[in-house]
Amino acid sequence: MSFPVLPLESDHAANELSKKPHSHLTTAWISTDIRKHKMPALLSSMASRAAFVTPRFLATVAPTEPKSKPAQDPMKSFYRKDLKIQKATKEQMHTKPDHLQVEKVKFGHTYADHMMTCDWDETNGWAAPKIEPITDLKIHPGAKVLHYASELFEGMKAYRGLDNKIRLFRPEMNMARMRRTAARAALPDFDAEEAVQILIEMLKIDQEWVPYSNVCSLYIRPTLIGTDPTLGVAFSKNAKFFVITGPAGQYYATGFQPVKLLADSRHIRAFPGGVGAYKMGCNYAPTIWVGKEAEKKNCQQVLWLNGEDEEITEVGTMNIFVLWKNEQGELELVTPPLHKGLILPGVTRDSLLELAREMNEFKVSERIFYMEDVKKALAENRLFEMFGCGTACVVNPVGSIHYHNKEKNEYEDWNIPTMKSKYNVMQRFYDTIVDIQYGRLERPGWTREI
Amino acid sequence: MSFPVLPLESDHAANELSKKPHSHLTTAWISTDIRKHKMPALLSSMASRAAFVTPRFLATVAPTEPKSKPAQDPMKSFYRKDLKIQKATKEQMHTKPDHLQVEKVKFGHTYADHMMTCDWDETNGWAAPKIEPITDLKIHPGAKVLHYASELFEGMKAYRGLDNKIRLFRPEMNMARMRRTAARAALPDFDAEEAVQILIEMLKIDQEWVPYSNVCSLYIRPTLIGTDPTLGVAFSKNAKFFVITGPAGQYYATGFQPVKLLADSRHIRAFPGGVGAYKMGCNYAPTIWVGKEAEKKNCQQVLWLNGEDEEITEVGTMNIFVLWKNEQGELELVTPPLHKGLILPGVTRDSLLELAREMNEFKVSERIFYMEDVKKALAENRLFEMFGCGTACVVNPVGSIHYHNKEKNEYEDWNIPTMKSKYNVMQRFYDTIVDIQYGRLERPGWTREI
């Protein structure tokens, strides 16, 4: 079974559908709460209300291909059945951080023992995928990935639950996005479900690297690069798919840490007609210098704006949500829409939107909004929460914005009262998502056990 | 001696200065014409008129640092004097294409025997540069270059003259641009002159790879990548500078081949607030898919537009020039300006502007212009020439534009009469530049002999 590559436009359709009352839904989602720890009252009420599935959710997991699979074709994908496994010797294995250390492990600095690699070439298609001890890649100095950023990636995590089962969170969403990105980056396609199954095999081999901790996880980095060793700015005739993994420590050691954002419309991340909606490496390189500039101003993240009218798009490497009372007096959760192609269609974003619609406590909107709107809402005490969301942190509260007022050419500091919100929406999102990830709350279709 | 990193804004100043009559210049450029082949009459007239040097030219080559060099510091640069050379064994050497083959060599498919590499880390700065047999680079699968496009490059050429001397064309310009790009990409700085001197050493070793042909050259690809093996979207604590070279065949085997351009404002290369002015790898990845779309429409290149009003920016990987009679009735050579940061400050672009100002036959403008202007000029038979320019081809005539009319959502074909121009400006530019490159026309400061 492989999953459909969802067109971005489906988001709008889902949004429209979600405005209809949930009562028209015929398929119920069976909520089996296996939470073994204290559940906040508000979340509890949400969990019982969440016994629905939105049309969007159904669309995401419903298989659209016939059950009789076509013959396997190396021009179309690599396959789980062809997997070649060479396990690391004792000498090749690395020391795992122990229980106490693992929470302090710095993101992306420690790698598990194995990597998966699979080569592709235009003539023969995909070779057999391999799992082998992690080692340096040998790359020709003329390879397109080193010159023209012929590269893309995904970020996902494996979580060890209290039941000791290891779960992936909606991995099909990541693999569907990776296929869309590959198409835009002119790199080869593959079968999303085969990729997930190979990931699962890899996690079985490195399962001891998945931390025994309900605040840590094993980060998974699938990557696809163009390895064609020729210097024309052209389609890469060779490519390599690879996956590396490594433990990710605790994001919030002492509770949520609200971040300060640099908002300066002179720095742009993405633009209409560009590739902001794809997880291509090229979207990240230009942000590194801007991130350094933000650091100099004691900001931890950048709030990415677009255009003369300072449309809000993303925050750091996360999607952004605002909870406010809008100008019509409605309580509204708002996040920028996908249709302009300026933002990454985040898996956490999609999950929060779905949960929010199930909560049915406020209006949920995917629509364009501006810095001016935020300023006005703050001035009128209508803005309650602002937070980023992504795989790394689930949610990340915004505490203040260091705004460059381009008309005055001055910086202004805006305080955002996210941590004082009586609605507590961010916190409830966080609790629900991590409960699902660690198996404390069952939500069929959102987790895959390995 | 190292060369100053020129701010982009200097271009405007130079433009202003160039409006003044040349007679105020005190430093004459001694034109020693050593051409051994047929010289077109128009070029001959230009060569004699070219016995000037513009203020811009002086600004580019004038050393600004004191003659007593500061102590060498690995935190600031690698150094020629530290160079370690390991020559290829006979077994490691590759077969060179012979005289007849070399003109047909496909760009970027064949590499010379040696490469230069130099590693940098945050703590120790630059290590000793090495010249060694070309071989695969060993890169950690978590290296930032493979995920976040932490990479940049330059493109330059070495030419073998009829006098058998090998020349580089304005290499200081490339190295100055590479330093500017490195700063924007948050990769380490280096001394431009040390880099040129190391290039020269490398070319001495591989000098037999510089084709014995006055239509071929040895392409040189200096590259800088972030090799830090950690997954944070952050400043790379490790980097590698490397240079590979390879023969480039004849660009125009049967005279100029006018190209057809796809002009579709739905595809954007660069945008204000982005990095279009830097030779970062990230500018190229998104263009590969668009290039494939152009191919499907029988277009060889893409004419990159910007914004609702379809401002003209670049063509393929080249800068663009138009020769027309403007709406004021003046004969004008126009090219988009640098100050918006949308276009690459090309070395050939800069050279053509300088030659054009010396020619003093028409107005020379670096200013914004739009598709609408081109359409109007074509309709009124005022547009004479349109051509791209760059290191690969010197100049590349535009024969037609396949324009997507966004209001009608239809394609239109516009014929561009470049090849019929009575002014012959593109041809004269071409002849002059290649004459300088192959040593047939002397222009001190524009070539470096190895």
Side-chain angles (χ1 to χ4, degrees), chain A residues 108 111 135 137 139-141 145-149 151 153 184 221 223 229-231 242 266 268 271-273 281 285-286 289, chain B residues 108 111 135 137 139-141 145-149 151 153 184 221 223 229-231 242 266 268 271-273 281 285-286 289:
Chain A
Y111 298 97
T135 184
L137 302 177
I139 299 178
H140 192 280
V145 63
L146 304 180
H147 301 267
Y148 309 128
E151 62 196 64
F153 65 95
R184 183 60 184 83
R221 174 54 64 92
T223 315
T230 63
L231 294 179
F242 66 90
R266 294 172 298 183
I268 303 291
F271 51 100
W289 177 83
Chain B
Y111 297 98
T135 185
L137 303 177
I139 299 179
H140 190 280
V145 63
L146 304 180
H147 302 266
Y148 308 128
E151 62 197 63
F153 65 95
R184 182 61 183 83
R221 173 55 63 93
T223 315
T230 63
L231 293 179
F242 67 90
R266 294 171 298 182
I268 303 293
F271 51 100
W289 178 83

Side-chain angles (χ1 to χ4, degrees), chain B residues 305-326:
Chain B
L305 308 177
N306 180 58
E308 283 295 307
D309 41 13
E310 302 186 341
E311 177 182 345
I312 290 174
T313 62
E314 287 198 340
V315 54
T317 57
M318 296 180 289
N319 293 122
I320 190 160
F321 280 84
V322 169
L323 181 77
W324 59 17
K325 197 155 272 180
N326 65 24

